[in-house]
Amino acid sequence: MIYKVLKTSGYSVLMLAAMFFLASCGKKEVKPVSQESKLAQEAFAITETLKKAYLSNDRESLRENATDEGYRELLGALINFDNAELVFTPTWVQIEDSAVSLTVSWKGTWRAGGKTRDDRGIAVFVLEGKPLKLSRILRSNPFSQPE
């Protein structure tokens, strides 16, 4: 008899604990997105836009997403190719005042004149202004390939 009471009360305690646990997990707190996170997301979007413009040889889009200095640097680096593929993997974002430095690991394949060239490197895209625009590329410029 005592065993049945303990068994029944044990189930009751277990059920109450389960209901309490489920009720406490039901509330979700929504945290606002930080300004730094918004800037980082904007920087990712700009580099993807620049990559697509480069691959499709869309100079107007390159101009729209770069400062005058950044556009001159891009034009000086552009090399003709028949077909290309580029993969960007962001690895680090540094935000200082109004400038964002986005470090990207890149890997690419270029085809020109029947030859194929594979290369990889790390580039630092420096983006400035509001909205962000490319002002320069440090280290290994993926848009100057194939060299």
Side-chain angles (χ1 to χ4, degrees), residues 34-47 89-105 122-128 132:
S34 70
Q35 186 62 27
E36 290 83 10
S37 177
K38 289 178 184 177
L39 279 173
Q41 290 172 354
E42 184 180 352
F44 297 152
I46 293 294
T47 56
T89 305
T91 58
W92 186 261
V93 178
Q94 184 174 351
I95 300 171
E96 292 180 11
D97 300 324
S98 63
V100 177
S101 297
L102 175 62
T103 303
V104 173
S105 172
I122 294 178
V124 179
F125 293 95
V126 180
L127 304 146
E128 297 175 338
L132 290 176

Side-chain angles (χ1 to χ4, degrees), residues 77-138:
L78 291 179
I79 308 251
N80 290 331
F81 54 86
D82 298 329
N83 189 357
E85 297 171 15
L86 265 177
V87 176
F88 285 174
T89 305
T91 58
W92 186 261
V93 178
Q94 184 174 351
I95 300 171
E96 292 180 11
D97 300 324
S98 63
V100 177
S101 297
L102 175 62
T103 303
V104 173
S105 172
W106 60 267
K107 186 164 79 170
T109 302
W110 291 263
R111 290 170 203 81
K115 295 181 181 178
T116 300
R117 169 109 192 271
D118 294 324
D119 205 353
R120 63 177 55 201
I122 294 178
V124 179
F125 293 95
V126 180
L127 304 146
E128 297 175 338
K130 290 188 181 186
L132 290 176
K133 292 187 175 196
L134 177 71
S135 65
R136 60 186 182 267
I137 300 173
L138 306 174

